Each structure stands twice: as C-alpha cells, then as structure tokens.
C-alpha cells in the first residue's frame, strides 16, 4: 500500500499568515493527489484534486503544488474560517490512502 | 448543483447486516469511479471500496473483503454498499464519493453506522 506522510501534524498561525502543509507519497502517484478540509462534525470537503486543480467554489487563497512525490497545500493568507483539519489522499492505486491529517489552529 | 445523498445507516448488532445507498445528481454519474469512505469517531478517513464506471471492476480494503459488496445502478444514479458480518470496528460515518481524473471529486454528507450490542 502507498503510505502518505503528512506534516506537520498540527500548526498554529495568525490571520494573514502564509501556511504550507506537506504530503509525501511512498512511491510515485503522478498527480493523483487530493486535499480535503474537515471541520468538526462535518464531512471532509474536497479543496484540490489532481494536485493543482481548485475545486469549484474554493477560495483562491488555497493552492496546490507538486514536486516528484512531494505535494504541498498552501494557504496564502490564513482566514479565521480556515481553522480545520486538512488531509491529503492519493487516488491512483488501490487502496486509496490518506495522510494522517494536519490540524490548523488560528 | 452536485449532490451525493447517503442513506441506510443506523444501529446494528455485531454479526448483522446493513445496506447503504447513495444517490447522485448534478453530474454525469456514469462517468465516475464511485467510492465508499468511512471515518470512525476521532479518526481520519479510511477508503473502503470503489467501483469502476461500468461496474466491471471492484476493489476493497483488506479489512472488509468477503464481508462488504459494492454495486451501482447507473440509470438510477445510485451506489450501494451491502455490509455483512458487521463488527464493532466498522462503526463509522460512511461517505459516498465520486472521483474523476478530469472532472474533480465530490463527497456526500455521510450516514452513521453503529455496530454495538
């Protein structure tokens, strides 16, 4: 199975800060990488698919990038409503696997 | 507007069965790999199973192989998960999710399955 190693596991930042979350795949996954945002009691919300593509309705302060097996979610200017847990997921090889999550506190 | 609506969750005793359903709208259901993903209380999401757009390929996580069956009915825009021999560790919110390599990803709001005596 492909392991997705996500870092950091938690972070605390201020409104307006630039925040980056990293996800490393244990082997090549092309760009079949998605990022999700989850708030307490809610379903995970897809933010980015195919490593770079912003899902419809997602604010443009969110962006995704990739370099080999390393993937990065960037929030360019952190907002209060961005307080959540973020997960990455590879969806090219079964079983699809998730990273361990990053809890973002503001 | 894209919607995925799950139903069929509830409480069941260990060893029992449940059938989850998911209805999609607002997108071309028959073009998407359809998935079930679950999330146990306090844990991260775990992928459970998926099925190819034409229904001819199905994949499962090891922990549910031989117990769960995924199926779909494209004319009804519906996805199903038949869950048998349920265990306490199957307790989770179950999400229906649509994945496309070109059209993006959609998730439902989930249905809670509780396995307990």
């Amino acid at each position: 199975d492909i392991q997705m190693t996500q870092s950091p596991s938690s972070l605390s930042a201020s409104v307006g800060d630039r925040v980056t979350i990293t996800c490393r795949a244990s082997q090549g996954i092309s760009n079949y990488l998605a990022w999700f945002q989850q708030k307490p009691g809610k379903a995970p919300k897809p933010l980015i698919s195919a490593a770079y593509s912003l899902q419809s309705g997602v604010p443009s302060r969110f962006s995704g990038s990739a370099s080999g097996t390393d993937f990065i979610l960037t929030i360019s200017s952190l907002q209060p409503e961005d307080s959540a847990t973020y997960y990455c997921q590879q969806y090219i090889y079964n079983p699809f696997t998730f990273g361990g999550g990053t809890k973002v506190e503001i | 507007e894209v919607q995925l609506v799950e139903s069929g969750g509830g409480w069941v005793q260990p060893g029992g069965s449940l059938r989850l359903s998911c209805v999609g709208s607002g997108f071309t259901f028959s073009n998407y790999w359809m998935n079930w993903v679950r999330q146990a209380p306090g844990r991260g999401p775990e992928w459970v199973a998926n099925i190819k757009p034409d229904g001819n390929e199905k994949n499962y996580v090891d922990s549910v192989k031989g117990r769960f069956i995924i199926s779909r009915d494209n004319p009804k825009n519906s996805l199903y998960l038949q869950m048998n021999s349920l265990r306490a560790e199957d307790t989770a919110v179950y999400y229906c999710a649509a994945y496309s390599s070109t059209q993006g990803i959609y998730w439902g709001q989930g249905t809670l399955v509780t396995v307990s005596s």
Side-chain angles (χ1 to χ4, degrees):
Chain A
D1 297 358
I2 295 177
Q3 306 303 313
M4 304 300 294
T5 303
Q6 195 172 333
S7 61
S9 57
S10 66
L11 66 89
S12 182
S14 300
V15 172
D17 283 354
R18 181 182 181 89
V19 167
T20 60
I21 299 169
T22 298
C23 191
R24 174 169 290 175
S26 60
Q27 66 186 74
I29 58 170
S30 186
N31 285 338
Y32 288 84
L33 189 284
W35 289 99
F36 297 84
Q37 177 193 65
Q38 187 174 31
K39 297 182 179 180
K42 299 294 187 182
K45 173 187 176 183
L47 297 176
I48 288 171
S49 61
Y52 298 90
S53 297
L54 210 61
Q55 294 272 122
S56 176
V58 174
S60 59
R61 63 181 180 273
F62 292 92
S63 64
S65 61
S67 177
T69 58
D70 290 340
F71 299 85
I72 296 173
L73 173 68
T74 299
I75 308 173
S76 61
S77 179
L78 196 65
Q79 299 301 303
E81 60 267 31
D82 300 335
S83 178
T85 300
Y86 294 82
Y87 295 97
C88 63
Q89 183 201 23
Q90 65 83 16
Y91 58 99
I92 184 172
Y93 298 114
N94 292 302
F96 294 174
T97 42
F98 289 85
T102 297
K103 187 172 185 179
V104 174
E105 295 180 327
I106 301 172
Chain B
E1 180 194 7
V2 171
Q3 279 197 311
L4 289 166
V5 180
E6 303 94 338
S7 61
W11 174 84
V12 62
Q13 291 186 325
S17 297
L18 274 179
R19 189 190 195 215
L20 305 183
S21 299
C22 168
V23 178
S25 60
F27 67 105
T28 307
F29 184 88
S30 58
N31 286 351
Y32 284 71
W33 277 81
M34 294 302 298
N35 298 256
W36 288 101
V37 181
R38 66 185 178 185
Q39 189 169 27
R43 305 288 298 274
E46 178 189 36
W47 174 85
V48 173
N50 65 16
I51 184 167
K52 198 175 177 181
D54 61 8
N56 286 338
E57 179 181 339
K58 304 173 184 181
N59 300 285
Y60 301 91
V61 70
D62 284 349
S63 59
V64 309
K65 283 179 182 175
R67 300 189 299 123
F68 289 11
I69 300 172
I70 189 171
S71 61
R72 66 191 295 162
D73 185 337
N74 284 342
K76 294 183 178 180
N77 287 352
S78 293
L79 176 71
Y80 307 101
L81 187 67
Q82 177 66 43
M83 304 188 295
N84 302 320
S85 302
L86 282 160
R87 306 167 180 168
E89 54 265 35
D90 296 318
T91 293
V93 176
Y94 284 73
Y95 298 100
C96 166
Y99 283 66
S100 166
S101 60
T102 57
Q103 304 296 317
I105 295 172
Y106 307 117
W107 279 47
Q109 293 305 303
T111 186
L112 177 63
V113 172
T114 303
V115 184
S116 172
S117 54

